[in-house]
Amino acid sequence: MLKKLSPILVLLLLIFTVWYLFYSSMPSDVEETDVPISRFSTLRALEHVEQTAKAPHFVGSNNHSRVRNYIIDELQKQGLEVQTQQGYVLNNSGTLSYAQNVLSRINGTGDGEAIVLMSHYDSAVHSSYGASDAASGVATILEGIRAFLAENPSHENDIILLFTDVEETGLLGAQLFIKEHPWAKDVKLALNFESRGSGGNSFMLLETNKGNANLVENFVKANPSFPSTSSLYYSIYKMLPNDTDLTVLREEGKVNGFNFAFIDDHFDYHTANDTPANLDPETLAHQGSYLMPLLNYFKDADLNNLDSEEDLIYFNVPPGELLTYPFSWILPMLLIATLLFLGITVYGLSTKGLSLKSIFKGAVPYFISLIGAALFSFLLWELCLIIYPQYGEMEHGFTYNGYYYISAVIFLSLAIAFFVYSNFKDKDPRAGYFVIPLLFWLIISALVSFYLKGAAYFVIPVFFGCIQLWVMLRQRKPNLFLMFFLSLPALIIIRPFLVTFAVALGLKILFVAALFTVFLFSLFLPVFLYFGRKKILAGLGFLIFTTLFIIAHFKSGFSEDRQKPNSLVYLYDADAEKATWNTYDEIFDSWTTPFLGEDPAESPRDVNFESKYSSGFTYSVPAPLVPIEEPGIIYRRTSMDSLSALKNYSLKIAPNRKVNRIELFVDRDKNFENFTVNNQLADSVKLGSGTFHVFSKRWSNLAAPLSCC
């Protein structure tokens, strides 16, 4: 009787395990009452978020000053001495701004070496309330340091609190600190709290100029309750152009550090929906669950022992453990896994438990499932873009109903895999169906071991798969519970990528979720091959897919809470004395139509105006002239030597009205030997041509502006 019920029980156990892996990955209960003053309270931290994110507080706005004063007041309430650091900063992208950092220092008993807790307090222009990005970081530090001081522990290392300014415009506050503040030379480690969404797990991402071994080992010793990280994230993060304030400290101050950031609900990022109401309390609790143990550990740790020449592979496993091993194990583990796989396969062939026919026959359903799931998922999203053209307006690439599409694709992929495998009869040796999927995963493990070393731990399921293959060769009907537990490492390792990639990179890569689903399915073949009613499971998977897709349809529109992203830019050409309304949108609504009309003209291609996503204006229509005070401009040549190849110019701009941003556009063929603005001298970089250029990042874009605010 138990054997007949085994498939049902195993399926229920699988469902429970998947739920547990999601549930246990972050704090789940933040309905706190009477939290001791020496403990981090999420509700108290949320009060800081609500105060700092009452309104957009971008650089230059009135609320920007209000938030800065709020932080100062809260630090002074805790008896801390507070200072501000102010000054102009010019980065190598040609961005200039006046930054005003807020700092405080808690002295320890040691020699003055310090850890810095940091987040930025400015919000993104123009409409973002900045609750997640990064009032959540400010709140985490304010509440965390309050709890720390309430316990009044002795500590050897100094603790610097750094709330940077002008992060959104170019990480300028961090540059001001690391280049000019006397405390910067004392900083040995940084904990930076950031966001790229408004919910979900907070991921730990390392930043180091050398190996990560000592940082990871110290992180493990600090023992945070809900680590969510892996060396794959570390490897990918190093390849991407995304920067944080910590990047500045690492590059220019040789400071090691940890970023803690969350990315779920990416549609709220840098929009008017980044409000306190949309910030998940559990996510804020997750940030606090990193800060407190790390602060309590590093307050007395040896901060001069964080550099390393060695890298570690690492990934988290439930409940709250981080497994690590050195990069030097990558090739030996790959070699052992390969030999183990080959040895068991040869054994199976020699004992007739396997045949070449069964192995190659087993490749057919695997590749049909893999290609079919990826292809259908890709076409599904392309169809969605046709049916729902409004999705193209979501520049983040992730729609409000995006999680329904990810879930739908996962169940569609499962339905395809179960259906395909249901058409291959049980009379074939089942072990043969597992050989090619296991070999393919071994090949993937080998490729990442050479080209994406942080993902080398993908080889671990191969070891357990080899054990399963051995058992399948030795037993006609293996114990399904044993097979299930041997497949768990694959579930633990692959599960995070079913959702994370599509959220981080957009729904255009939904097919990646399909691929990972089939990879995971194939590593559970030692379980699923012994299920007798696969077509029922395929039908159930398709039913769930259909239900999720229908729900997504009814959530595909926009509402007061989930608004359509709109853009409307008023441009006044003072030379031509004409004005235009311009937009990045393809679809108009009741808000934009009165300005743009029903049939606007396409925007001229020569209109240059910076956009975060490098998109140009789509439409442009004439606009009424508004009396805008023109800036005062004094432009003259200061060098009159006609024999010199260099020409010196002076430019002075007086806005004559309150402005938050000025952009100067220069033809790409014009280079600067040097460039000084507000007494800030731009760095010069020698390019491959042998010439020196300032604003090195400018030359990677055709029309990048020099800007200041």
Side-chain angles (χ1 to χ4, degrees), residues 131-152:
S132 298
D133 184 22
S136 64
V138 171
T140 298
I141 295 172
L142 288 177
E143 169 59 13
I145 206 66
R146 184 211 56 76
F148 179 81
L149 293 173
E151 195 171 4
N152 194 28

Side-chain angles (χ1 to χ4, degrees), residues 75-313:
L75 294 175
Q76 289 176 339
K77 286 179 184 178
Q78 297 175 27
L80 297 175
E81 182 178 332
V82 186
Q83 62 174 260
T84 59
Q85 180 196 18
Q86 307 176 39
Y88 282 102
V89 186
L90 179 67
N91 68 14
N92 63 357
S93 296
T95 301
L96 171 82
S97 186
Y98 189 73
Q100 302 178 78
N101 296 330
V102 178
L103 303 100
S104 185
R105 185 164 185 161
I106 306 169
N107 294 322
T109 60
D111 298 328
E113 294 172 343
I115 60 175
V116 61
L117 312 182
M118 59 190 293
S119 188
H120 68 91
Y121 72 87
D122 60 311
S123 67
V125 295
H126 299 277
S127 58
S128 175
Y129 284 66
S132 298
D133 184 22
S136 64
V138 171
T140 298
I141 295 172
L142 288 177
E143 169 59 13
I145 206 66
R146 184 211 56 76
F148 179 81
L149 293 173
E151 195 171 4
N152 194 28
S154 62
H155 54 96
E156 181 176 349
N157 298 316
D158 290 5
I159 301 168
I160 296 174
L161 311 180
L162 172 60
F163 301 93
T164 62
D165 193 11
V166 205
E167 188 273 350
E168 297 290 0
T169 311
L171 315 176
L172 301 186
Q175 288 196 37
L176 181 66
F177 171 76
I178 203 66
K179 288 181 176 180
E180 298 186 16
H181 202 286
W183 291 354
K185 61 179 174 49
D186 300 327
V187 176
K188 304 298 180 182
L189 177 71
L191 308 183
N192 184 44
F193 294 88
E194 259 288 4
S195 143
R196 197 167 170 260
S198 61
N201 293 85
S202 175
F203 296 100
M204 183 276 280
L205 300 168
L206 288 170
E207 290 229 18
T208 176
N209 289 323
K210 295 187 177 181
N212 66 34
N214 288 346
L215 284 171
V216 173
E217 289 172 355
N218 279 276
F219 182 83
V220 171
K221 291 176 183 177
N223 194 30
S225 301
F226 301 95
S228 185
T229 186
S230 79
S231 48
L232 173 56
Y233 297 149
Y234 168 69
S235 293
I236 293 176
Y237 181 74
K238 289 196 299 183
M239 297 164 57
L240 295 175
N242 302 320
D243 291 333
T244 69
D245 282 337
L246 180 54
T247 307
V248 175
L249 270 64
R250 173 181 59 81
E251 291 180 347
E252 302 193 21
K254 305 300 185 289
V255 175
N256 294 306
F258 301 94
N259 278 312
F260 303 99
F262 46 97
I263 65 172
D264 277 13
D265 297 345
H266 190 203
F267 38 70
D268 291 332
Y269 178 61
H270 283 185
T271 73
N273 282 331
D274 189 6
T275 62
N278 286 332
L279 171 62
D280 290 348
E282 294 82 4
T283 299
L284 188 58
H286 202 176
Q287 295 284 64
S289 75
Y290 283 121
L291 173 60
M292 299 314 296
L294 289 169
L295 179 57
N296 284 310
Y297 174 79
F298 283 112
K299 67 182 176 64
D300 298 312
D302 181 3
L303 300 180
N304 289 307
N305 191 33
L306 298 178
D307 286 338
S308 175
E309 299 301 325
E310 184 181 14
D311 275 312
L312 293 182
I313 296 292

